[in-house]
Amino acid sequence: MPSRTNSSLTASLLPEDERRESMIGAEINLPDETPILDLDKLTEEDKQTLRQALFDNSVVVIRNQQGINPQTLPKLAAVFDPHATNEHSAGKKAVSDPRNILSSYRAGRLPAAPQVSVIGSGKFTDYEGISELEVVHLDHTLFHESPLSPEELDKNYTRPYRWHMDTPLYERLPGEVTILHGVQIPKVPDQKIKFENGEEKTIAAGSTAFFSGARVFNLLTPEEKEFAMNTTVTYAPQAYEYIRNCKCSADGLTIPTFGKETPLEELSEWTQEHVAEYPLTTKNHATGEVTVVDDVPTVRKIVYAMQRKVYAAENIYAHRWREGDVVIFHNKGVMHSITGQLSKYKEEEEKKRLMWQCTMSTTQKPIPYRT
């Protein structure tokens, strides 16, 4: 990490036993006179230290932020993205259309900061101007083709739910960062993820798991790297409606069975202008030939073959939440997933979960690695 002698805000790497080979994780230490993050009290050098720490390490955490002003979160997003809008990437209101799988979270929005979603597990009343709120922690049993058995769940095994980047994948562009704030963290036993090679990773129940896109790239063959650097990926319109009847693989990385996708004509209204380039295209720079791959199962197999290389205990950073944590992650640089089986605890007060989430849409399209 670069040192900044004139800055009172500092950053340090998370312990090696947490980072391992993931290339992820740093902790931000605020100035003594600013125990709760207040952007107006940070210098430009402080903000540059913050940016450098995030883009070097993909995920940063600021501890003990109980009482942070919710309006700070969208302002914080703009520190990392000068092109950020003043609107959550999911829109002005939380997703409620049952055709969209994102509605299953039953997220709320803070009246004092409508760019901030409220997510978690359990029922809450009279919270931050919201009279009634019942948020749902989704887990892999709701989305995987072959979920863990009841016996495995009883032994506290779990899986990532679904690896993704925060973006609606239609109309609005993905924000540069997502910011999470742990308001209430459930006090429940740790859980375990078992990987294909037999290794197990102990995580806190409800950990947010991350893997680095840069780490994936480092694991690719030269041929795969060339393919990746010359490929444009485009999603189906209303992508979260398109996959609402689909089921996921055991690692949460892909949809192995094709045929349950919602037909395009049955999606809610969409227009081509809001759909990014499609189909997936690759260009051979030696010949100038353009290859079009528009068979969805083939596309999924190609991408899965590359991404699954990273799915190992040493490459996954699973954030162990503490109450008050503010976690900022580079939304365009990592994939993330919720984990843990929390639904069985949702009626017990000390085992409920309450989080804030802020990811702002942007006006800048993702910039290709190779132009």
Side-chain angles (χ1 to χ4, degrees):
M1 298 284 296
S3 61
R4 301 187 180 276
T5 56
N6 295 325
S7 174
S8 54
L9 180 148
T10 61
S12 56
L13 297 181
L14 291 179
E16 280 300 314
D17 62 343
E18 296 181 34
R19 287 175 58 95
R20 298 186 68 181
E21 302 298 322
S22 70
M23 302 171 60
I24 289 174
E27 183 169 345
I28 301 298
N29 302 293
L30 296 176
D32 291 340
E33 64 273 17
T34 313
I36 303 299
L37 182 63
D38 183 343
L39 295 176
D40 292 335
K41 295 181 180 179
L42 297 186
T43 67
E44 284 306 312
E45 189 170 5
D46 288 334
K47 293 176 183 178
Q48 179 55 32
T49 300
L50 193 55
R51 284 189 285 264
Q52 192 71 46
L54 179 74
F55 293 129
D56 283 350
N57 299 283
S58 298
V59 178
V60 298
V61 57
I62 309 173
R63 305 286 190 189
N64 302 315
Q65 294 301 293
Q66 293 93 332
I68 189 172
N69 188 329
Q71 296 177 358
T72 298
L73 272 61
K75 294 177 182 177
L76 180 58
V79 170
F80 303 95
D81 182 7
H83 304 281
T85 70
N86 196 36
E87 185 175 303
H88 193 285
S89 68
K92 294 181 179 179
K93 297 181 179 180
V95 177
S96 59
D97 188 335
R99 293 174 295 183
N100 187 320
I101 64 172
L102 299 183
S103 66
S104 301
Y105 293 98
R106 302 185 68 176
R109 291 287 179 88
L110 293 178
Q115 310 95 325
V116 178
S117 291
V118 184
I119 56 177
S121 178
K123 295 180 181 179
F124 300 87
T125 57
D126 297 323
Y127 178 73
E128 294 284 340
I130 305 172
S131 58
E132 291 186 359
L133 182 69
E134 183 175 3
V135 283
V136 178
H137 180 88
L138 302 180
D139 64 58
H140 84 279
T141 63
L142 303 172
F143 191 55
H144 286 202
E145 273 196 347
S146 301
L148 294 170
S149 67
E151 293 75 20
E152 290 171 308
L153 294 175
D154 287 343
K155 294 178 181 178
N156 283 331
Y157 284 101
T158 188
R159 288 178 183 166
Y161 168 68
R162 174 178 55 82
W163 295 99
H164 64 285
M165 174 173 62
D166 282 336
T167 174
L169 299 175
Y170 178 76
E171 189 172 7
R172 289 176 294 277
L173 296 169
E176 195 72 40
V177 300
T178 293
I179 303 165
L180 299 171
H181 175 43
V183 179
Q184 180 174 332
I185 306 303
K187 300 173 178 63
V188 298
D190 283 354
Q191 297 176 356
K192 298 172 289 186
I193 297 176
K194 181 181 288 187
F195 293 86
E196 193 174 33
N197 63 2
E199 187 172 359
E200 296 184 359
K201 186 180 186 74
T202 299
I203 63 171
S207 289
T208 307
F210 301 90
F211 69 76
S212 162
R215 179 63 177 151
V216 176
F217 188 81
N218 289 345
L219 294 170
L220 299 182
T221 65
E223 294 77 16
E224 288 172 326
K225 289 180 179 179
E226 190 65 22
F227 179 90
M229 289 189 291
N230 293 283
T231 299
T232 299
V233 178
T234 305
Y235 296 88
Q238 308 290 12
Y240 288 115
E241 294 182 23
Y242 181 70
I243 65 168
R244 67 173 177 256
N245 296 316
C246 297
K247 297 295 182 182
C248 195
S249 56
D251 49 22
L253 283 169
T254 192
I255 294 171
T257 302
F258 180 70
K260 295 183 179 180
E261 291 74 11
T262 303
L264 297 186
E265 62 272 16
E266 295 180 16
L267 299 174
S268 59
E269 184 178 353
W270 59 274
T271 60
Q272 191 63 40
E273 66 178 310
H274 293 312
V275 177
E277 294 179 39
Y278 184 81
L280 181 149
T281 63
T282 63
K283 184 174 182 180
N284 184 320
H285 282 273
T287 65
E289 178 185 0
V290 175
T291 301
V292 177
V293 184
D294 58 3
D295 177 69
V296 174
T298 300
V299 172
R300 287 175 177 165
K301 287 179 181 178
I302 292 170
V303 176
Y304 182 54
M306 292 188 282
Q307 284 192 330
R308 69 178 303 185
K309 294 173 184 282
V310 82
Y311 192 66
E314 66 270 18
N315 296 323
I316 306 299
Y317 169 67
H319 185 71
R320 181 177 288 271
W321 284 96
R322 304 180 196 171
E323 288 189 1
D325 280 358
V326 167
V327 168
I328 311 163
F329 64 86
H330 185 200
N331 188 42
K332 296 178 182 177
V334 298
M335 297 285 274
H336 70 284
S337 175
I338 55 177
T339 68
Q341 315 304 122
L342 296 181
S343 60
K344 61 183 177 181
Y345 300 118
K346 65 182 181 180
E347 302 298 333
E348 302 177 57
E349 191 63 36
E350 74 279 5
K351 297 178 181 179
K352 294 180 181 180
R353 173 181 166 103
L354 191 64
M355 311 275 289
W356 295 354
Q357 185 254 31
C358 179
T359 180
M360 308 298 287
S361 61
T362 185
T363 59
Q364 185 178 60
K365 293 182 179 180
I367 300 172
Y369 179 82
R370 176 181 286 173
T371 56

